[in-house]
Structures are given as C-alpha cells and as structure tokens.
Amino acid sequence: MTNPLRTAKLARERGTRWWRQHIALAYIILTSAFALAFLIVRLIDRKLPEWLSALGVSPSGVNLLIGTAWCGLGLWGIRTRGNGAGVIVIYVLCMFGGVLMLAKAFQLF
C-alpha cells in the first residue's frame, strides 16, 4: 500500500516539473488570460453607456450606474484579504474612477 503523503509529494513534483519544462507555454497562457480579461472589461466599459442609453437611461443615470459599480468593485477589492500591493493599487484606481464618474453624474465639475 502506498503512503498518501508520498503520493501527494510525487504529484506535486510532477506538476512542478511539467511547468518548468514548458515555461514559455506558461507565460503565453498567463499573458493571454490577462489580455482576455482586459479586452472583456474594455468592451463592457466602452459599450455599456450605449446599451444603457438604448434602454432609455439618461446620461447622468449612466454615469451614476457605472460610477456606483466601479466604486463597489474597488471597495470590495480593497476589503478582500491576501492581495498584494499592486492589486490594491488597481482597486484604488478603480474606486477613484468610480468616484470621478459619480462626480460627473452629480455635475460637481
């Protein structure tokens, strides 16, 4: 009978060895995942005002909805634990963008 700890250790080593042998593939997969996430967020951010306007939402209402969503995402990200400094900066910028959209919605500038 095999020891479960030894089996788990061998499985970890096999997985680690595979990624070490295919480091270029790992970088391609990681870069593609970030690019895909960026393109999806960019598409939604660019087309959402048009979609909401087509539904009859006023321009200030569009700014209010998008600003609230960005602020909520930023606050949620800041409150989650285990994030690094770079991720926290991204969430702070997201929240700052939401605050600017809300200021635009309420015509503060």
Side-chain angles (χ1 to χ4, degrees):
M1 189 148 61
T2 60
N3 184 359
L5 294 175
R6 179 172 159 71
T7 306
K9 181 181 175 186
L10 288 173
R12 267 196 318 273
E13 286 177 2
R14 267 191 232 117
T16 303
R17 248 185 279 144
W18 190 89
W19 280 111
R20 282 185 187 157
Q21 293 171 356
H22 299 89
I23 194 72
L25 180 63
Y27 280 126
I28 290 170
I29 290 172
L30 187 65
T31 305
S32 299
F34 280 120
L36 182 65
F38 174 77
L39 288 176
I40 289 172
V41 169
R42 178 90 172 166
L43 176 71
I44 290 172
D45 191 42
R46 187 171 274 200
K47 295 291 183 179
L48 189 63
E50 295 173 16
W51 295 335
L52 290 173
S53 295
L55 291 175
V57 179
S58 67
S60 63
V62 170
N63 289 335
L64 181 67
L65 289 172
I66 294 174
T68 304
W70 283 120
C71 276
L73 180 66
L75 287 173
W76 171 79
I78 291 170
R79 291 190 67 213
T80 57
R81 295 178 188 249
N83 291 332
V87 177
I88 295 293
V89 168
I90 290 172
Y91 283 128
V92 167
L93 290 175
C94 183
M95 190 178 69
F96 183 65
V99 167
L100 289 177
M101 290 292 281
L102 287 172
K104 198 159 93 172
F106 291 115
Q107 298 174 351
L108 295 178
F109 60 90

mmCIF file of all heavy atoms in Angstrom, residues 1 7 21-22 25 27 31 34 38-39 48 55 59 64 69 71-72 78-79 84 87 91 95 97-98 105-106 109:
data_model
loop_
_atom_site.group_PDB
_atom_site.id
_atom_site.type_symbol
_atom_site.label_atom_id
_atom_site.label_comp_id
_atom_site.label_asym_id
_atom_site.label_seq_id
_atom_site.Cartn_x
_atom_site.Cartn_y
_atom_site.Cartn_z
ATOM 1 N N MET A 1 0.855 -1.171 0.000
ATOM 2 C CA MET A 1 0.000 0.000 0.000
ATOM 3 C C MET A 1 0.907 1.243 0.000
ATOM 4 O O MET A 1 1.913 1.277 0.689
ATOM 5 C CB MET A 1 -0.905 -0.021 1.229
ATOM 6 C CG MET A 1 -1.950 1.030 1.164
ATOM 7 S SD MET A 1 -3.509 0.641 1.931
ATOM 8 C CE MET A 1 -3.168 0.377 3.608
ATOM 9 N N THR A 7 2.484 9.977 -2.173
ATOM 10 C CA THR A 7 1.759 10.119 -3.426
ATOM 11 C C THR A 7 1.490 11.595 -3.737
ATOM 12 O O THR A 7 1.658 12.038 -4.872
ATOM 13 C CB THR A 7 0.421 9.347 -3.355
ATOM 14 O OG1 THR A 7 0.688 7.999 -2.987
ATOM 15 C CG2 THR A 7 -0.295 9.381 -4.683
ATOM 16 N N GLN A 21 9.458 22.673 -17.480
ATOM 17 C CA GLN A 21 9.874 22.290 -18.826
ATOM 18 C C GLN A 21 9.157 23.096 -19.905
ATOM 19 O O GLN A 21 9.618 23.174 -21.030
ATOM 20 C CB GLN A 21 9.630 20.800 -19.047
ATOM 21 C CG GLN A 21 10.506 19.926 -18.191
ATOM 22 C CD GLN A 21 10.097 18.467 -18.262
ATOM 23 O OE1 GLN A 21 9.109 18.119 -18.894
ATOM 24 N NE2 GLN A 21 10.857 17.614 -17.590
ATOM 25 N N HIS A 22 8.017 23.670 -19.572
ATOM 26 C CA HIS A 22 7.221 24.404 -20.551
ATOM 27 C C HIS A 22 6.980 25.839 -20.070
ATOM 28 O O HIS A 22 5.860 26.324 -20.060
ATOM 29 C CB HIS A 22 5.888 23.698 -20.778
ATOM 30 C CG HIS A 22 6.039 22.314 -21.307
ATOM 31 N ND1 HIS A 22 6.168 21.217 -20.487
ATOM 32 C CD2 HIS A 22 6.101 21.845 -22.579
ATOM 33 C CE1 HIS A 22 6.293 20.142 -21.229
ATOM 34 N NE2 HIS A 22 6.249 20.492 -22.499
ATOM 35 N N LEU A 25 5.223 28.234 -22.530
ATOM 36 C CA LEU A 25 3.783 27.986 -22.600
ATOM 37 C C LEU A 25 3.071 28.586 -21.394
ATOM 38 O O LEU A 25 1.982 29.166 -21.529
ATOM 39 C CB LEU A 25 3.504 26.481 -22.683
ATOM 40 C CG LEU A 25 2.039 26.069 -22.765
ATOM 41 C CD1 LEU A 25 1.406 26.615 -24.033
ATOM 42 C CD2 LEU A 25 1.914 24.564 -22.719
ATOM 43 N N TYR A 27 4.003 31.251 -19.721
ATOM 44 C CA TYR A 27 3.951 32.694 -19.924
ATOM 45 C C TYR A 27 2.901 33.070 -20.965
ATOM 46 O O TYR A 27 2.202 34.069 -20.815
ATOM 47 C CB TYR A 27 5.312 33.244 -20.345
ATOM 48 C CG TYR A 27 6.268 33.430 -19.193
ATOM 49 C CD1 TYR A 27 7.529 32.862 -19.216
ATOM 50 C CD2 TYR A 27 5.899 34.177 -18.084
ATOM 51 C CE1 TYR A 27 8.409 33.028 -18.165
ATOM 52 C CE2 TYR A 27 6.772 34.349 -17.024
ATOM 53 C CZ TYR A 27 8.025 33.776 -17.070
ATOM 54 O OH TYR A 27 8.881 33.946 -16.026
ATOM 55 N N THR A 31 -0.206 35.458 -20.026
ATOM 56 C CA THR A 31 -0.380 36.711 -20.769
ATOM 57 C C THR A 31 -1.716 36.722 -21.506
ATOM 58 O O THR A 31 -2.408 37.749 -21.532
ATOM 59 C CB THR A 31 0.784 36.897 -21.767
ATOM 60 O OG1 THR A 31 2.012 36.830 -21.048
ATOM 61 C CG2 THR A 31 0.676 38.212 -22.489
ATOM 62 N N PHE A 34 -4.590 37.481 -19.041
ATOM 63 C CA PHE A 34 -4.678 38.902 -18.706
ATOM 64 C C PHE A 34 -5.205 39.723 -19.877
ATOM 65 O O PHE A 34 -6.008 40.637 -19.697
ATOM 66 C CB PHE A 34 -3.320 39.447 -18.254
ATOM 67 C CG PHE A 34 -2.989 39.113 -16.834
ATOM 68 C CD1 PHE A 34 -1.871 38.376 -16.528
ATOM 69 C CD2 PHE A 34 -3.803 39.541 -15.799
ATOM 70 C CE1 PHE A 34 -1.564 38.064 -15.216
ATOM 71 C CE2 PHE A 34 -3.502 39.235 -14.476
ATOM 72 C CZ PHE A 34 -2.380 38.494 -14.193
ATOM 73 N N PHE A 38 -8.631 41.899 -19.885
ATOM 74 C CA PHE A 38 -8.575 43.319 -20.216
ATOM 75 C C PHE A 38 -9.540 43.657 -21.351
ATOM 76 O O PHE A 38 -10.268 44.649 -21.285
ATOM 77 C CB PHE A 38 -7.149 43.718 -20.612
ATOM 78 C CG PHE A 38 -7.038 45.126 -21.106
ATOM 79 C CD1 PHE A 38 -7.045 46.187 -20.221
ATOM 80 C CD2 PHE A 38 -6.937 45.393 -22.464
ATOM 81 C CE1 PHE A 38 -6.956 47.491 -20.668
ATOM 82 C CE2 PHE A 38 -6.850 46.683 -22.923
ATOM 83 C CZ PHE A 38 -6.854 47.735 -22.032
ATOM 84 N N LEU A 39 -9.565 42.835 -22.390
ATOM 85 C CA LEU A 39 -10.445 43.102 -23.528
ATOM 86 C C LEU A 39 -11.919 43.010 -23.148
ATOM 87 O O LEU A 39 -12.736 43.814 -23.609
ATOM 88 C CB LEU A 39 -10.129 42.140 -24.668
ATOM 89 C CG LEU A 39 -8.813 42.409 -25.395
ATOM 90 C CD1 LEU A 39 -8.555 41.325 -26.434
ATOM 91 C CD2 LEU A 39 -8.803 43.774 -26.029
ATOM 92 N N LEU A 48 -21.154 49.757 -22.520
ATOM 93 C CA LEU A 48 -22.215 49.841 -21.516
ATOM 94 C C LEU A 48 -23.009 51.142 -21.583
ATOM 95 O O LEU A 48 -24.247 51.099 -21.513
ATOM 96 C CB LEU A 48 -21.639 49.624 -20.111
ATOM 97 C CG LEU A 48 -22.657 49.478 -18.990
ATOM 98 C CD1 LEU A 48 -23.510 48.240 -19.220
ATOM 99 C CD2 LEU A 48 -21.970 49.400 -17.663
ATOM 100 N N LEU A 55 -31.656 51.624 -23.641
ATOM 101 C CA LEU A 55 -32.759 51.213 -22.764
ATOM 102 C C LEU A 55 -33.523 52.409 -22.198
ATOM 103 O O LEU A 55 -34.519 52.230 -21.506
ATOM 104 C CB LEU A 55 -32.224 50.365 -21.608
ATOM 105 C CG LEU A 55 -31.694 48.988 -21.989
ATOM 106 C CD1 LEU A 55 -31.078 48.309 -20.779
ATOM 107 C CD2 LEU A 55 -32.811 48.121 -22.555
ATOM 108 N N PRO A 59 -28.081 60.209 -19.585
ATOM 109 C CA PRO A 59 -26.602 60.220 -19.470
ATOM 110 C C PRO A 59 -26.113 60.312 -18.024
ATOM 111 O O PRO A 59 -25.140 59.666 -17.658
ATOM 112 C CB PRO A 59 -26.189 61.449 -20.267
ATOM 113 C CG PRO A 59 -27.285 61.649 -21.250
ATOM 114 C CD PRO A 59 -28.546 61.209 -20.543
ATOM 115 N N LEU A 64 -24.089 57.494 -13.127
ATOM 116 C CA LEU A 64 -24.393 57.067 -11.765
ATOM 117 C C LEU A 64 -24.255 55.557 -11.617
ATOM 118 O O LEU A 64 -23.634 55.066 -10.664
ATOM 119 C CB LEU A 64 -25.803 57.514 -11.381
ATOM 120 C CG LEU A 64 -26.264 57.175 -9.973
ATOM 121 C CD1 LEU A 64 -25.452 57.969 -8.960
ATOM 122 C CD2 LEU A 64 -27.739 57.475 -9.826
ATOM 123 N N ALA A 69 -20.921 51.066 -9.754
ATOM 124 C CA ALA A 69 -20.327 49.744 -9.979
ATOM 125 C C ALA A 69 -18.817 49.774 -9.774
ATOM 126 O O ALA A 69 -18.255 48.889 -9.115
ATOM 127 C CB ALA A 69 -20.669 49.254 -11.384
ATOM 128 N N CYS A 71 -17.045 51.961 -8.005
ATOM 129 C CA CYS A 71 -16.753 52.186 -6.578
ATOM 130 C C CYS A 71 -16.955 50.907 -5.774
ATOM 131 O O CYS A 71 -16.148 50.571 -4.911
ATOM 132 C CB CYS A 71 -17.641 53.287 -6.015
ATOM 133 S SG CYS A 71 -17.027 54.925 -6.312
ATOM 134 N N GLY A 72 -18.040 50.210 -6.061
ATOM 135 C CA GLY A 72 -18.309 48.958 -5.347
ATOM 136 C C GLY A 72 -17.229 47.929 -5.600
ATOM 137 O O GLY A 72 -16.780 47.240 -4.671
ATOM 138 N N ILE A 78 -10.509 46.174 -2.148
ATOM 139 C CA ILE A 78 -9.661 46.650 -1.054
ATOM 140 C C ILE A 78 -9.929 45.850 0.219
ATOM 141 O O ILE A 78 -9.010 45.551 0.981
ATOM 142 C CB ILE A 78 -9.887 48.163 -0.830
ATOM 143 C CG1 ILE A 78 -9.322 48.946 -2.012
ATOM 144 C CG2 ILE A 78 -9.240 48.631 0.466
ATOM 145 C CD1 ILE A 78 -9.691 50.412 -2.011
ATOM 146 N N ARG A 79 -11.182 45.452 0.432
ATOM 147 C CA ARG A 79 -11.524 44.731 1.657
ATOM 148 C C ARG A 79 -11.105 43.271 1.632
ATOM 149 O O ARG A 79 -10.989 42.648 2.692
ATOM 150 C CB ARG A 79 -13.033 44.808 1.899
ATOM 151 C CG ARG A 79 -13.469 46.230 2.255
ATOM 152 C CD ARG A 79 -14.885 46.263 2.712
ATOM 153 N NE ARG A 79 -15.001 45.553 3.975
ATOM 154 C CZ ARG A 79 -16.070 44.864 4.338
ATOM 155 N NH1 ARG A 79 -17.103 44.807 3.548
ATOM 156 N NH2 ARG A 79 -16.114 44.260 5.502
ATOM 157 N N GLY A 84 -1.793 41.605 -2.974
ATOM 158 C CA GLY A 84 -0.511 42.286 -2.920
ATOM 159 C C GLY A 84 -0.702 43.782 -3.120
ATOM 160 O O GLY A 84 -1.801 44.276 -3.377
ATOM 161 N N VAL A 87 -2.137 44.836 -6.650
ATOM 162 C CA VAL A 87 -3.577 44.614 -6.811
ATOM 163 C C VAL A 87 -4.365 45.665 -6.025
ATOM 164 O O VAL A 87 -5.386 46.167 -6.505
ATOM 165 C CB VAL A 87 -3.951 43.183 -6.372
ATOM 166 C CG1 VAL A 87 -5.435 42.948 -6.468
ATOM 167 C CG2 VAL A 87 -3.207 42.166 -7.205
ATOM 168 N N TYR A 91 -7.232 48.317 -7.410
ATOM 169 C CA TYR A 91 -8.561 48.519 -6.827
ATOM 170 C C TYR A 91 -8.765 49.974 -6.389
ATOM 171 O O TYR A 91 -9.866 50.499 -6.514
ATOM 172 C CB TYR A 91 -8.783 47.575 -5.647
ATOM 173 C CG TYR A 91 -9.095 46.158 -6.073
ATOM 174 C CD1 TYR A 91 -8.377 45.082 -5.558
ATOM 175 C CD2 TYR A 91 -10.103 45.882 -6.982
ATOM 176 C CE1 TYR A 91 -8.666 43.789 -5.942
ATOM 177 C CE2 TYR A 91 -10.390 44.596 -7.362
ATOM 178 C CZ TYR A 91 -9.670 43.548 -6.844
ATOM 179 O OH TYR A 91 -9.957 42.275 -7.228
ATOM 180 N N MET A 95 -11.668 52.410 -7.732
ATOM 181 C CA MET A 95 -12.552 53.186 -6.874
ATOM 182 C C MET A 95 -12.462 54.675 -7.201
ATOM 183 O O MET A 95 -13.476 55.376 -7.236
ATOM 184 C CB MET A 95 -12.210 52.953 -5.405
ATOM 185 C CG MET A 95 -13.219 53.539 -4.451
ATOM 186 S SD MET A 95 -12.837 53.211 -2.737
ATOM 187 C CE MET A 95 -11.399 54.203 -2.510
ATOM 188 N N GLY A 97 -11.764 55.978 -10.129
ATOM 189 C CA GLY A 97 -12.513 56.162 -11.366
ATOM 190 C C GLY A 97 -14.011 56.205 -11.118
ATOM 191 O O GLY A 97 -14.738 56.987 -11.744
ATOM 192 N N GLY A 98 -14.496 55.375 -10.196
ATOM 193 C CA GLY A 98 -15.910 55.393 -9.844
ATOM 194 C C GLY A 98 -16.316 56.688 -9.185
ATOM 195 O O GLY A 98 -17.399 57.225 -9.451
ATOM 196 N N ALA A 105 -21.730 62.450 -12.647
ATOM 197 C CA ALA A 105 -23.173 62.216 -12.637
ATOM 198 C C ALA A 105 -23.900 63.304 -11.850
ATOM 199 O O ALA A 105 -24.999 63.719 -12.226
ATOM 200 C CB ALA A 105 -23.488 60.849 -12.033
ATOM 201 N N PHE A 106 -23.307 63.758 -10.764
ATOM 202 C CA PHE A 106 -23.929 64.791 -9.933
ATOM 203 C C PHE A 106 -23.484 66.199 -10.330
ATOM 204 O O PHE A 106 -23.760 67.167 -9.627
ATOM 205 C CB PHE A 106 -23.625 64.552 -8.453
ATOM 206 C CG PHE A 106 -24.305 63.330 -7.915
ATOM 207 C CD1 PHE A 106 -23.571 62.251 -7.482
ATOM 208 C CD2 PHE A 106 -25.698 63.259 -7.865
ATOM 209 C CE1 PHE A 106 -24.194 61.120 -6.978
ATOM 210 C CE2 PHE A 106 -26.325 62.135 -7.372
ATOM 211 C CZ PHE A 106 -25.579 61.062 -6.939
ATOM 212 N N PHE A 109 -18.320 68.870 -11.291
ATOM 213 C CA PHE A 109 -17.317 69.610 -12.065
ATOM 214 C C PHE A 109 -17.609 69.499 -13.528
ATOM 215 O O PHE A 109 -18.412 68.803 -14.003
ATOM 216 C CB PHE A 109 -15.878 69.144 -11.779
ATOM 217 C CG PHE A 109 -15.611 67.710 -12.076
ATOM 218 C CD1 PHE A 109 -15.164 67.316 -13.320
ATOM 219 C CD2 PHE A 109 -15.786 66.748 -11.099
ATOM 220 C CE1 PHE A 109 -14.890 65.993 -13.589
ATOM 221 C CE2 PHE A 109 -15.514 65.425 -11.355
ATOM 222 C CZ PHE A 109 -15.068 65.034 -12.612
#
